[in-house]
Amino acid sequence: MLKVPIRPVLISAVIEQKKEALVAKKAGGSARRKHVELLKSWLMDTGCGHDLVGKRDLKNVLVKLSNAISPLTFNTANGKTRATEQAPLFCSELKENIKPYVLESTPPVLSVGKRCMEMGYSFVWLADQDPYFVCPDGTIVEFEVKDNIPYLRAGAKRCAPKPGPNKQSVPCAAAVGDLADSEPVIKDTGDPSGAHDDGLTSGDELVDVRPKKDLSAEANSLEHRISHRFKNPHCDSCNRSTMKNKKSHRGAFADKHEPECWGALVTGDHLDSKRKNMLGFCGEKEAFTILDTFSGLRHIYPTKTKDSVDTALSIQHFKGDREIRVFYSDNSGEINKACKDKGLLRDGSLPGVPKTNAMAERNNQTIVTKTVACLLEAGLPPCYWSFAGPCWCILFNTDCTYGESPWFKTHGSEFKGLRLPLGCKVTYKPATTKLELGKWDEPSRVGVFAGYRLQSGYSWHDEYLVWDLDDFIEADLSKMATHVHQKNNRPHITKRCSLFQDTLSFPLKAEYERLNTTLEGKKESLQRHSDQGEHPLDPPPPFDENIASGGGLPPPAPDGGPSGADSDVVVLEPIVAKSDDKYPPVSIGQAGDKDIFRGAKGDLVKLDKNGRPYPVREDGFRRLTTTRPVGMEPEAWDMMRGYNRRGRNAAPKDVPPASVPLAGVRQGGVPPLPASLRASMA
């Protein structure tokens, strides 16, 4: 029997605990120390607005890196460097938890400007003296200067915090207004000879001709109230007209709402696709984005509407059986109702100030830009965004290149499936419900990768989404395509999928570039979509020779007309509507008019956005081929169509009475009656 019961643990966690215990044993302390203090020297830099640390300094010290909520790009001497991780450290001299960005090669840097402008520090460096910090609590921390560079030495007595005096004296140059106290100012009387001094000494003539401004009195003066050129804090009009929002600093939200576990803080927002060609395959014109700030797990849910029902379903699918403590969003009514229905606590941003909802807005921007990049790489038009967005989110959440992935922080294990980009060429086993294979056909097919099928709780059950390559034979890949023209809204769901011949290729990319980046392709796309007006599902207007030849005018005279000088001149008289006709002629209409006109043949027409007339009814709706012509009786129209309007309401035909079945004969599966029962009934 085992002395210790077996329980599931993560191997990485056990190794990390052993490393911490070993470090604590060598140092003679405890490995459960909350803060990590590892660097002995910090460079105090006034030219960098962020704290930095190099990977070389963290090499021999056990520190668990975390993904940065706001990754930054730094311009260094070696070019641009991307920082996506932060190291949680502690500075005992400043009594501060710091999270510097981790770069490949950089000295440990503490930002002076960040602490002075955002954290309440004061930086003082007098002539021939060592600089020092005046901390927010009033203590003083001095720095060591080496080669004219200030350093903070961790553990040094010189850099230990010291209590500061209540008053700080800083030498400075004398102001102009202080000259009256140090040097006398002789009033100029205009007589340089001094004949009219009346025996007065220079000391009696001290007059300060520079009046000191009284802001309170100036606020009511005529000079200030004329233009309000300079803001006066005592002027009510100045204060009310220049009132601004409270200044927000970078990282202020993260400092106050630093999550400690999954679901401690989740944020979300809506995206709207207003253009018709931005609709998804199933008519999705909205999308709901959601982000867990602790793990970095994010996703986009295409929806037909942004109501509370779709929002609540998206939140429930994202969290599953996990708990969400606080949901942060803007003051959208749909999100408010969805959180109320799910019993979630919601914190709202300040209305009209997007900066207070910056994390959700940044998440939207990231998902949109990366989704567009996936569509361009795959060679798919914008209407495929409902597949590209979720596919990119899964690929981002399963990326463990820079440490533990958001998928690992959510589920406790890394993603076990294949990470394939959208639109790549794959080999898959098709679903038997969508494709019937012959007895001698190969069981695998070549297709185009469409993404992953997720289950509730943002879990994955080894299911891939794949389009068959044959589905794109007649597919429209131009940017003008909409969801109406596509037939790939239901891809194959399969568990067997692999990269085609172990080579990454995008079979739709060449045709996409031809249709959208060449002149011939653009002409082809424009010709294909030229008949698409505001109603792409309606049939095109019928062809009219008169309209095609003269735009509503009568056809030209036939050959063999009058000869002579006037034989080449044909006078065309436009059709003029009757004086009592309430519909104007179509010749005076313009493209896109919503008015009803009288056509060349006397019928009612409208003009589409290309200026082509199409027949309509008196109520303005399009007249189709199944519409009964004006003046024709309904019965005659039904006879032409072969439709019996009164068939349903006609009297029933004479039906002979049903014959009584013989006794003992089985009718319609009913067993025969017993002989005793038949005798009693007789």
Side-chain angles (χ1 to χ4, degrees):
M1 180 179 293
L2 296 176
K3 297 182 179 179
V4 181
I6 298 177
R7 58 179 180 179
V9 295
L10 295 176
I11 299 178
S12 59
V14 176
I15 297 176
E16 184 176 351
Q17 292 178 0
K18 291 183 178 180
K19 288 184 178 180
E20 292 179 356
L22 182 60
V23 172
K25 185 176 181 180
K26 292 182 179 180
S30 174
R32 297 183 178 179
R33 186 174 182 179
K34 182 178 180 181
H35 306 296
V36 179
E37 190 175 341
L38 55 108
L39 301 180
K40 299 301 181 183
S41 177
W42 290 92
L43 188 150
M44 309 305 298
D45 192 359
T46 59
C48 182
H50 302 276
D51 300 338
L52 306 176
V53 68
K55 290 186 177 180
R56 182 178 59 183
D57 299 319
L58 304 176
K59 185 176 181 181
N60 299 325
V61 183
L62 182 61
V63 175
K64 187 176 182 180
L65 304 182
S66 61
N67 292 334
I69 299 178
S70 300
L72 300 177
T73 301
F74 295 91
N75 293 322
T76 63
N78 297 326
K80 293 185 178 181
T81 301
R82 183 73 172 173
T84 59
E85 293 179 325
Q86 290 178 294
L89 305 175
F90 180 75
C91 182
S92 58
E93 285 73 18
L94 301 179
K95 301 177 183 178
E96 177 186 344
N97 292 316
I98 58 179
K99 297 185 67 175
Y101 284 90
V102 181
L103 300 180
E104 289 292 338
S105 177
T106 180
V109 173
L110 291 181
S111 175
V112 176
K114 175 182 179 181
R115 283 161 177 78
C116 293
M117 298 301 296
E118 301 179 3
M119 303 175 65
Y121 287 81
S122 297
F123 182 72
V124 182
W125 195 346
L126 302 180
D128 300 330
Q129 298 183 20
D130 292 334
Y132 60 89
F133 258 159
V134 179
C135 300
D137 58 355
T139 59
I140 293 178
V141 177
E142 295 185 4
F143 306 136
E144 295 182 1
V145 179
K146 183 178 180 181
D147 296 333
N148 298 329
I149 300 176
Y151 290 92
L152 175 62
R153 304 287 184 184
K157 292 184 178 181
R158 189 173 186 179
C159 298
K162 306 177 183 61
N166 295 331
K167 296 182 180 180
Q168 296 289 336
S169 299
V170 179
C172 60
V176 178
D178 296 336
L179 294 177
D181 300 333
S182 58
E183 297 181 0
V185 179
I186 308 300
K187 183 178 180 181
D188 186 8
T189 59
D191 188 3
S193 62
H196 303 283
D197 56 359
D198 295 332
L200 295 178
T201 62
S202 59
D204 297 332
E205 297 176 350
L206 293 176
V207 178
D208 188 0
V209 297
R210 298 179 297 275
K212 296 182 179 180
K213 292 185 178 181
D214 186 359
L215 296 180
S216 178
E218 185 184 6
N220 299 322
S221 64
L222 178 63
E223 180 181 359
H224 174 75
R225 300 177 70 177
I226 287 177
S227 61
H228 296 274
R229 180 175 181 180
F230 302 102
K231 179 182 178 181
N232 192 315
H234 300 280
C235 177
D236 181 68
S237 299
C238 290
N239 293 331
R240 294 169 61 182
S241 62
T242 59
M243 183 177 295
K244 298 181 179 179
N245 293 321
K246 185 178 180 180
K247 185 177 180 181
S248 58
H249 303 284
R250 181 188 296 272
F253 181 85
D255 295 339
K256 297 179 181 179
H257 303 80
E258 185 174 1
E260 299 178 354
C261 62
W262 200 99
L265 179 62
V266 178
T267 181
D269 198 6
H270 281 105
L271 290 175
D272 185 15
S273 299
K274 298 181 179 179
R275 296 176 56 185
K276 288 188 296 184
N277 61 341
M278 293 299 176
L279 298 180
F281 276 102
C282 298
E284 304 95 341
K285 64 177 181 178
E286 310 287 345
F288 181 72
T289 60
I290 191 168
L291 168 68
D292 174 58
T293 57
F294 171 78
S295 62
L297 191 75
R298 65 189 70 194
H299 199 68
I300 177 174
Y301 290 94
T303 57
K304 292 185 178 180
T305 63
K306 53 183 290 187
D307 57 4
S308 60
V309 177
D310 290 339
T311 304
L313 289 176
S314 301
I315 297 175
Q316 183 63 37
H317 184 275
F318 184 78
K319 78 182 190 69
D321 56 355
R322 294 183 292 269
E323 178 185 2
I324 294 181
R325 297 183 181 178
V326 178
F327 193 94
Y328 188 91
S329 67
D330 56 10
N331 297 278
S332 170
E334 297 82 6
I335 299 180
N336 291 347
K337 190 174 185 306
C339 293
K340 183 178 180 180
D341 295 341
K342 293 297 178 183
L344 302 178
L345 296 177
R346 194 195 70 86
D347 289 345
S349 61
L350 185 63
V353 185
K355 291 183 179 180
T356 57
N357 195 30
M359 297 186 67
E361 298 293 343
R362 179 60 184 177
N363 184 38
N364 292 348
Q365 181 181 356
T366 301
I367 293 178
V368 170
T369 54
K370 302 307 178 183
T371 300
V372 174
C374 289
L375 291 173
L376 292 174
E377 185 71 18
L380 293 172
C383 60
Y384 283 79
W385 69 266
S386 57
F387 288 95
C391 181
W392 177 84
C393 289
I394 297 176
L395 295 177
F396 174 83
N397 294 331
T398 57
D399 186 8
C400 57
T401 306
Y402 303 99
E404 296 177 350
S405 65
W407 187 276
F408 178 86
K409 295 180 180 179
T410 303
H411 299 286
S413 60
E414 292 293 352
F415 186 73
K416 298 180 181 180
L418 296 177
R419 301 180 67 250
L420 300 175
L422 179 78
C424 67
K425 193 174 183 180
V426 296
T427 303
Y428 74 102
K429 182 175 177 56
T432 57
T433 57
K434 295 195 62 176
L435 188 63
E436 294 183 2
L437 299 177
K439 188 175 185 64
W440 308 110
D441 292 337
E442 57 178 335
S444 62
R445 300 273 296 181
V446 178
V448 179
F449 188 71
Y452 304 84
R453 186 190 186 193
L454 292 177
Q455 303 294 339
S456 60
Y458 209 81
S459 59
W460 183 66
H461 296 171
D462 302 338
E463 294 176 339
Y464 301 92
L465 301 178
V466 181
W467 294 299
D468 195 87
L469 191 59
D470 294 345
D471 296 339
F472 289 93
I473 295 178
E474 298 181 357
D476 187 7
L477 299 181
S478 65
K479 292 183 179 180
M480 302 175 65
T482 63
H483 73 290
V484 176
H485 308 94
Q486 312 298 338
K487 299 180 181 179
N488 300 329
N489 56 342
R490 293 184 179 180
H492 290 263
I493 301 175
T494 179
K495 291 190 175 184
R496 299 299 301 270
C497 179
S498 61
L499 201 61
F500 181 76
Q501 297 181 356
D502 295 333
T503 304
L504 181 62
S505 61
F506 298 92
L508 309 177
K509 181 68 172 178
E511 180 66 14
Y512 174 84
E513 296 295 341
R514 186 189 70 83
L515 290 175
N516 298 284
T517 60
T518 62
L519 184 59
E520 294 77 8
K522 286 181 175 291
K523 289 182 179 180
E524 181 180 341
S525 301
L526 183 62
Q527 184 178 5
R528 183 172 186 174
H529 296 272
S530 60
D531 59 341
Q532 300 298 328
E534 296 182 357
H535 305 281
L537 291 177
D538 295 344
F543 179 78
D544 194 326
E545 295 182 357
N546 296 335
I547 297 175
S549 60
L553 300 179
D559 297 339
S563 60
D566 299 336
S567 60
D568 297 336
V569 179
V570 179
V571 180
L572 300 177
E573 297 182 1
I575 299 176
V576 181
K578 299 179 181 180
S579 58
D580 56 346
D581 192 359
K582 63 178 181 179
Y583 300 107
V586 70
S587 58
I588 66 174
Q590 297 181 359
D593 285 343
K594 298 183 179 180
D595 299 332
I596 303 177
F597 300 97
R598 180 71 65 181
K601 294 184 177 181
D603 54 347
L604 302 181
V605 297
K606 277 187 176 182
L607 296 177
D608 60 7
K609 67 176 184 179
N610 296 322
R612 299 179 59 180
Y614 59 93
V616 296
R617 300 182 304 190
E618 292 184 355
D619 53 3
F621 290 94
R622 182 187 291 269
R623 180 164 58 84
L624 305 178
T625 56
T626 57
T627 304
R628 177 170 57 87
V630 179
M632 181 176 289
E633 295 296 333
E635 290 78 5
W637 179 247
D638 293 339
M639 292 178 61
M640 295 179 61
R641 297 173 56 200
Y643 174 74
N644 186 10
R645 183 182 299 271
R646 299 181 179 179
R648 298 181 180 179
N649 300 327
K653 298 181 180 179
D654 295 337
V655 180
S659 59
V660 180
L662 298 176
V665 179
R666 188 173 183 178
Q667 300 288 336
V670 180
L673 298 175
S676 59
L677 183 60
R678 290 199 302 268
S680 62
M681 293 176 62

